[in-house]
Amino acid sequence: MKYLAPIVLIVLIFACKTPQQWTGQGPIEVVPTTDRPIENQPYQDFDLGDGFFISNKMEGGRLNDAVRINDSLVEVKILPENQPINSSPWYAFKVWSEQEKQMWIRLTYPTTGFHRYYPKINKRGLYYKKLDSAAFHPHPKILEDGSERIEFAEAKVWVGPDTLWIAAQDFAGTQYVERWKAKILEHNFVEKIQIGLSKEGRPLEVLKIGKADDQKMLMAISLQHPPEIPGFLALKSFVETLCEDSPEAREFRSKYNLYVMPMMNPDGVARGHWRHNVGGVDTNRDWVNFNQPEPKALAEFMEKKVRDTDGKFVFAADFHATWEDIFYTINEDLEGNHPGLIPKLIRRSTRKIPGYEPNIRPSDRMERGVTSSSYFFFVHGAEAMTFEVGDNTPRNLIRLKGETTARELMRILNKN
Ligand SMILES: [Zn+2]
C-alpha cells in the first residue's frame, strides 16, 4: 500500500499534462489592504524525546507544532500567518539528533489543508537540494469535485548531531538575497538605494544598474510573496545577464538604467510567511490604495524619479512563482511607452529555448487593477508583465528563461 500513493500521483500528474495549457488563476479579487492581525508563531526547540529535536528558530522558519507519533515518526503542523490566504503553505525548520537515526517527518496543514512544496534539504547551511524521491511519500486525496490534492506528506531524513535544514524551496530567510545583492554591488555600475523601511524596520532596497541618464528606465521586482523563490531565481538570472561584460550589455547600460527590488516583502520572508507582509496583507493587491509600506515606498520612488528626471519607465517585470510557468500580460489592445514590447520579448526569448511553448495570458481588463504590473503600466506606461515560473520548474530552465529574456530585451531596446 505504501507504494501505491506515489504511483497514483505520478499517473495523475501525467494525466494532467495534456497539451492543453494551464489557464492560470481566476480574476483577481479586489480586497481591503488595511492592516489585518497576524498570528505570531512562537519560536522554539521541540524536544521530541530520545535526543531528537526539531526547531523553527531560524530566519524564514515556519513550523507551528511538532509531536512524536512513534519511534520513527514525528508529525508537524504548518499554519499560515492569517486567513483567508492563498494556499502557498511555506514551511522551513531544522532537525538534529544526538544519535544518528532515520526519521519520518509528516507535514500536515490543519487549517487550509494541503501540501504543495516538494521538500528541499540542506546539510551545510547554504544550499538546499531536493529530497530524494524515494524518501518522499505524498498522501493524495480526491476532493468532491473530482480534483486531487496532497492532503499531507511524509519525508524521510537521516539525522545526527549536525543540523539538517528542511524547507519548501531552495533557501530560507533573507540572507541568500542579501549575499546576492552584495555580489551584484561589486560591479562599478551598480549602486544601492534605500527607499524606505518595512513595518518591522527592515530596509527596503533598490539596486540601480547602469550609467545612463534616467531618461529611459526599467523596473524588476520579486518576492512580494515569500515562498516564491523560483521567481527570485528567474529575476536573479535576468539581472546577472544585464550585468554581463559584453558589448550589448555595456551598450544597454549606457542607454538604460534598470532598477531592481529583489525582496519586496522582507518581513514576510524573514518570518516564513505563506503570502502576506507583517500588515497581514497581500502586497500585490495594494498597488492602488498603498496602505502597506512596501508597495508605497516603491511607487513613491518611481514617481519621484519620473518627476526629477522627466524620464520614463519603458519596461517592468514582477517575478513570481505558481503551479506552472505562465506570463500574465497587459491587454494587448493597450499601448504604453514601447507598444508591442512584451509580446515580442516573450516570443523571441522563449523561441531560444528548444521545445519551450510559452503560456501567455493577456489580461481582459482595459482599466487599472490592484497589482504591481497594472500600476507599472497604467501609471507609468511601462510595458509590464508578471513573470511566473512553476514551483517545480527545473532550476536550469528558470536560469535559461531569465537569461534569454534579458538578452532579447537588450537586443530590442538597444536598437532604440
Ligand atoms: Zn506571487
Side-chain angles (χ1 to χ4, degrees):
M1 267 314 280
K2 204 158 103 183
Y3 299 100
L4 198 59
I7 291 167
V8 169
L9 182 76
I10 289 162
V11 167
L12 280 161
I13 286 170
F14 278 99
C16 294
K17 292 264 178 205
T18 54
Q20 209 176 7
Q21 274 184 325
W22 186 52
T23 55
Q25 65 185 6
I28 289 175
E29 278 177 63
V30 177
V31 292
T33 58
T34 47
D35 283 14
R36 291 167 48 223
I38 56 168
E39 253 173 72
N40 282 320
Q41 137 191 243
Y43 287 100
Q44 56 184 301
D45 295 336
F46 295 87
D47 179 348
L48 297 168
D50 296 339
F52 181 80
F53 293 87
I54 198 158
S55 173
N56 60 359
K57 283 157 92 174
M58 58 187 267
E59 250 235 342
R62 169 90 7 198
L63 173 138
N64 300 75
D65 198 11
V67 289
R68 182 92 177 223
I69 304 292
N70 61 39
D71 232 26
S72 59
L73 175 67
V74 297
E75 184 173 290
V76 301
K77 281 193 176 75
I78 313 292
L79 300 171
E81 57 275 17
N82 63 4
Q83 292 192 78
I85 195 162
N86 174 294
S87 273
S88 36
W90 170 263
Y91 56 88
F93 50 87
K94 49 190 183 177
V95 296
W96 66 94
S97 164
E98 284 160 11
Q99 264 97 50
E100 300 274 345
K101 69 169 76 172
Q102 189 180 285
M103 187 65 89
W104 283 95
I105 298 172
R106 180 184 289 157
L107 302 158
T108 70
Y109 308 87
T111 49
T112 48
F114 65 91
H115 172 87
R116 171 165 167 185
Y117 300 114
Y118 191 91
K120 320 290 184 298
I121 58 168
N122 174 351
K123 290 179 181 164
R124 303 249 181 273
L126 260 183
Y127 301 106
Y128 284 83
K129 62 178 179 100
K130 282 172 87 176
L131 182 76
D132 189 274
S133 60
F136 181 68
H137 283 177
H139 290 259
K141 178 183 171 182
I142 308 292
L143 303 182
E144 276 174 19
D145 66 2
S147 68
E148 193 206 59
R149 287 281 163 88
I150 297 173
E151 191 181 12
F152 63 93
E154 285 148 356
K156 182 173 70 176
V157 288
W158 276 101
V159 281
D162 289 340
T163 303
L164 178 76
W165 286 262
I166 301 170
Q169 280 297 359
D170 309 50
F171 68 89
T174 59
Q175 283 314 302
Y176 185 93
V177 179
E178 293 307 324
R179 274 197 301 274
W180 176 74
K181 273 158 67 180
K183 222 178 96 201
I184 292 295
L185 277 160
E186 286 171 10
H187 295 292
N188 61 12
F189 50 80
V190 181
E191 59 180 278
K192 183 165 79 179
I193 306 163
Q194 186 176 325
I195 61 163
L197 292 173
S198 70
K199 268 212 156 62
E200 288 195 311
R202 292 185 175 85
L204 300 173
E205 290 176 345
V206 167
L207 298 177
K208 175 189 178 187
I209 296 170
K211 289 280 187 198
D213 56 6
D214 274 338
Q215 290 308 288
K216 289 176 278 183
M217 300 177 277
L218 296 87
M219 177 58 70
I221 66 173
S222 70
L223 291 174
Q224 288 203 75
H225 301 143
E228 299 178 11
I229 287 156
F232 165 72
L233 297 175
L235 168 132
K236 175 176 175 285
S237 139
F238 173 78
V239 171
E240 284 168 358
T241 307
L242 295 171
C243 287
E244 272 178 1
D245 191 21
S246 63
E248 61 183 2
R250 281 195 300 271
E251 184 188 347
F252 179 81
R253 297 191 301 264
S254 73
K255 293 179 169 172
Y256 297 88
N257 285 331
L258 166 69
Y259 292 90
V260 185
M261 188 158 172
M263 196 161 46
M264 280 294 302
N265 181 2
D267 295 345
V269 173
R271 286 167 159 263
H273 279 186
W274 285 20
R275 189 162 177 97
H276 300 157
N277 68 349
V278 164
V281 167
D282 180 346
T283 59
N284 205 26
R285 302 292 179 268
D286 190 38
W287 293 84
V288 168
N289 291 324
F290 298 107
N291 288 312
Q292 298 302 319
E294 299 86 3
K296 185 163 182 248
L298 190 66
E300 283 174 356
F301 170 76
M302 291 175 76
E303 286 160 36
K304 182 165 189 315
K305 262 281 154 223
V306 170
R307 270 198 314 274
D308 291 352
T309 64
D310 229 7
K312 56 189 179 184
F313 284 88
V314 290
F315 167 90
D318 183 1
F319 292 79
H320 288 252
T322 183
W323 299 93
E324 289 182 39
D325 288 28
I326 190 164
F327 295 94
Y328 292 110
T329 60
I330 301 294
N331 190 317
E332 287 177 6
D333 292 336
L334 296 170
E335 294 188 344
N337 293 331
H338 197 302
L341 174 64
I342 298 286
K344 189 194 243 181
L345 176 63
I346 297 173
R347 227 175 27 244
R348 287 202 192 174
S349 58
T350 53
R351 209 184 283 148
K352 293 279 185 307
I353 304 171
Y356 188 84
E357 238 349 283
N359 190 3
I360 308 167
R361 221 358 245 288
S363 168
D364 305 330
R365 301 180 71 99
M366 295 298 280
E367 69 295 330
R368 185 173 166 191
V370 294
T371 63
S372 62
S373 167
S374 183
Y375 167 78
F376 296 147
F377 180 80
F378 284 95
V379 174
H380 293 278
E383 305 297 340
M385 66 170 152
T386 307
F387 189 121
E388 300 254 14
V389 293
D391 297 334
N392 301 311
T393 299
R395 291 345 185 205
N396 56 356
L397 178 56
I398 291 180
R399 211 174 309 126
L400 194 57
K401 285 183 72 180
E403 192 186 309
T404 57
T405 304
R407 277 194 209 297
E408 292 309 312
L409 185 63
M410 289 191 283
R411 260 167 225 160
I412 298 168
L413 292 184
N414 280 351
K415 281 194 195 132
N416 282 59

